[in-house]
């Protein structure tokens, strides 16, 4: 009896581990931590992009493509990081609309990520980077306006 309880517990832990290996965080807290950290990476990438777009930093093709790739991989990962139970807690600024309008939220990330991924090869110079980067950067506030709240 006791042994089977321990075994069941072990299997649950293994199950949680397998889920995280496939990419779904094992706990709501882990999901919040990962999504806020991905988004702050998006924030850092955006600062790099803004400096190049405004010619406050020299245009660097690899760096420009990295900005777009950071957006594309964030967009792929983010929709997996809002499991039930992660509506509040930690440093999250996620809005309840993520859970009430999940399809809209996921579509928003899919469209934004596809635009970023689709632009990677084409950004061969500063003008082309600006043309791709501008609308992607506008996407930040339009998504945040609907799906993010300031908690402080
Ligand atoms: C499709 C929706 C969506 C798009 C597009 C988007 N974000 Fe976010 N962002 C979110 C959500 C949702 C959160 C809140 C995550 C949380 O706190 O759990 C967030 C949080 C953030 C945060 C706070 C991270 C932290 O440390 O708590 C930053 C910074 C950020 N986003 C930057 C950006 C920038 C810059 C862009 C555009 C280049 C962008 N985001 C595009 C949905 C989006």
């Amino acid at each position: 009896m006791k042994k089977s309880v321990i075994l069941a517990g072990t299997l649950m832990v293994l199950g949680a581990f397998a889920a995280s290996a496939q990419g779904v965080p094992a706990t709501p807290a882990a999901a919040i931590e990962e999504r806020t950290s991905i988004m702050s990476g998006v924030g850092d990438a955006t600062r790099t992009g803004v400096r190049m777009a405004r010619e406050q930093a020299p245009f660097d093709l690899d760096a420009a493509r990295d900005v777009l790739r950071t957006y594309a991989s964030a967009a792929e990962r983010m929709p997996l990081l809002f499991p039930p139970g992660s509506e509040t807690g930690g440093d999250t600024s996620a809005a309840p609309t993520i859970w009430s309008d999940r399809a809209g939220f996921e579509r928003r990330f899919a469209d934004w990520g596809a635009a970023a991924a689709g632009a990677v090869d084409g950004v061969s110079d500063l003008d082309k980077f600006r043309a791709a980067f501008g609308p992607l950067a506008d996407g930040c506030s339009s998504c945040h306006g609907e799906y993010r709240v300031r908690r402080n």
Side-chain angles (χ1 to χ4, degrees), residues 1-145:
M1 176 69 183
K2 209 170 183 186
K3 235 183 199 162
S4 72
V5 169
I6 292 170
L7 181 63
T10 308
L11 288 175
M12 270 172 64
V13 171
L14 287 176
F17 182 74
S20 95
Q22 284 163 16
V24 180
T27 63
I32 291 172
E33 197 176 311
E34 187 180 343
R35 74 201 190 206
T36 51
S37 128
I38 287 177
M39 268 296 149
S40 59
V42 166
D44 292 344
T46 303
R47 276 186 285 281
T48 301
V50 166
R51 277 196 299 274
M52 287 193 287
R54 292 185 184 158
E55 292 182 70
Q56 293 160 348
F59 179 72
D60 178 304
L61 185 54
D62 289 337
R65 289 186 165 145
D66 276 352
V67 171
L68 302 173
R69 287 196 191 101
T70 299
Y71 292 175
S73 72
E76 234 171 75
R77 184 79 186 129
M78 284 295 282
L80 299 171
L81 303 178
F82 296 84
S86 69
E87 293 86 346
T88 56
D91 286 334
T92 189
S93 55
T97 43
I98 292 172
W99 288 270
S100 62
D101 175 28
R102 180 60 69 115
F105 178 63
E106 292 187 354
R107 201 175 326 112
R108 189 73 75 110
F109 261 125
D111 292 349
W112 184 74
V120 171
D121 288 341
V123 291
S124 46
D125 61 28
L126 179 59
D127 283 342
K128 291 192 175 113
F129 176 67
R130 281 192 182 127
F133 181 70
L136 287 166
D138 290 342
C140 320
S141 46
S142 79
C143 183
H144 292 172

